[in-house]
Amino acid sequence: MNPMILDGKATSKKIKDELKEKVSMLAQKGIVPTLAVVIVGDDPASHVYVRNKKRACEYIGIKSLSYELTSQASEDDVLSLVEELNSNPDVNGILVQLPLPSHISEEKVIMTIDPKKDVDGFHPISVGNLSIGNPGFVSCTPYGIIELLKRYDIPISGKKCVIVGRSNIVGKPIAMLLLREHGTVTLCHSRTADLKKECREADILIAAIGRPKMITDEYVKEGVVVVDVGINRLEDNSLCGDVDYEKVAPLASYITPVPGGVGPMTIAMLMTNVVESAEVK
Ligand code: NDP
């Protein structure tokens, strides 16, 4: 079987173009969606992520305000900056790039962000809203996965959805979202008794593990839809997912590549959250 590729790069471009239109309509009403990006320290990967996010803002017409603090910045410095951004009426979204240096509590920082500006969807209020089905910001990677499935008209209702990985930023929220779409959800993790058996039952299999090529053909049934969230760097510096693409793709009906699958969708959904925040203001 030749699987259909779930092309996150092309889909995210389409979403960004739609947002560009929305932003130009908002501009006619004098509204300029604005994202404040806070980065602390000099982690090279974080700087790359922030640069990509700013580039996406620029493409769409979202204004991005940049706050670069040195790794010597104190927790109070970061908390006061977040409070200042909370009370700035021009700012629609606040993004604090993680990880933060170890002397700064990520939890405290996330808790300080006004949930109305929590475009990363990490605040406990956002997480709570997601679990009880109230409106609120949804964290960008899980949101991107659902959007990708929807844009390819992949039915979720009544389907057996198996997720490997139960992190707060991917596994748990994607479970809530799939449930919201009426999927029958199984959430697996490192203590799952028979992982292969659970995975082989999946109509939709989401891998968010952080282990290169762990999901092989032994974990899937024919016709499965595979979403690979993993981003792993190999010794030769190339990137690969948590799914062994060569082995799994021949059995799948749809599959995401790595790179070019879930990754680009994450940024597109961050941009969506910022524009939505400006719209409801
Ligand atoms: P975490 O390390 O926070 O969570 C990994 C999860 O996988 C845990 O729940 C862990 O179980 C489970 N796990 C680990 N080993 C096994 C195993 N052998 N069998 C079954 N389950 C296992 O990772 P994240 O959720 O943050 O990220 C997962 C992957 O997704 C990473 O590669 C990351 O880089 C990528 N990622 C990609 C994003 C994107 O935009 N595309 C965004 C975010 C992450 P337990 O809880 O029991 O320890």
Side-chain angles (χ1 to χ4, degrees), residues 141 165-167 170 189-190 208-211 214 229-232 263 266:
T141 300
R166 56 173 161 178
S167 71
V170 190
H189 45 78
S190 66
I209 316 162
R211 293 188 183 251
M214 190 184 118
V229 187
I231 302 178
N232 307 292
T266 301

Side-chain angles (χ1 to χ4, degrees), residues 98-257:
L98 303 179
L100 291 170
S102 55
H103 64 280
I104 300 174
S105 156
E106 290 186 354
E107 196 188 338
K108 262 196 205 167
V109 172
I110 290 169
M111 291 284 282
T112 306
I113 296 173
D114 181 343
K116 289 196 209 75
K117 301 187 178 186
D118 176 36
V119 285
D120 250 343
F122 292 159
H123 193 290
I125 289 190
S126 306
V127 177
N129 280 331
L130 173 63
S131 28
I132 60 176
N134 278 353
F137 290 114
V138 174
S139 62
C140 305
T141 300
Y143 191 8
I145 294 169
I146 288 288
E147 193 62 26
L148 192 58
L149 294 174
K150 284 189 176 172
R151 289 200 179 226
Y152 278 86
D153 291 325
I154 294 172
I156 301 172
S157 178
K159 298 295 172 190
K160 185 145 176 51
C161 307
V162 177
I163 303 150
V164 190
R166 56 173 161 178
S167 71
N168 288 335
I169 61 162
V170 190
K172 283 182 202 157
I174 190 65
M176 298 315 300
L177 284 171
L178 289 165
L179 203 53
R180 196 198 258 185
E181 299 297 326
H182 314 293
T184 302
V185 177
T186 304
L187 194 47
C188 302
H189 45 78
S190 66
R191 316 278 178 98
T192 296
D194 190 345
L195 187 64
K196 281 184 191 167
K197 178 177 163 282
E198 299 294 346
C199 290
R200 272 199 304 264
E201 284 177 16
D203 300 312
I204 300 175
L205 179 64
I206 317 266
I209 316 162
R211 293 188 183 251
K213 300 187 184 184
M214 190 184 118
I215 302 296
T216 62
D217 49 344
E218 292 174 26
Y219 288 75
V220 296
K221 72 173 180 196
E222 202 162 343
V224 64
V225 175
V226 180
V227 176
D228 189 354
V229 187
I231 302 178
N232 307 292
R233 199 165 283 283
L234 299 178
E235 272 179 14
D236 65 359
N237 216 29
S238 63
L239 288 180
C240 83
D242 292 341
V243 174
D244 188 331
Y245 189 93
E246 304 304 324
K247 288 188 179 148
V248 170
L251 293 166
S253 54
Y254 292 84
I255 190 165
T256 58

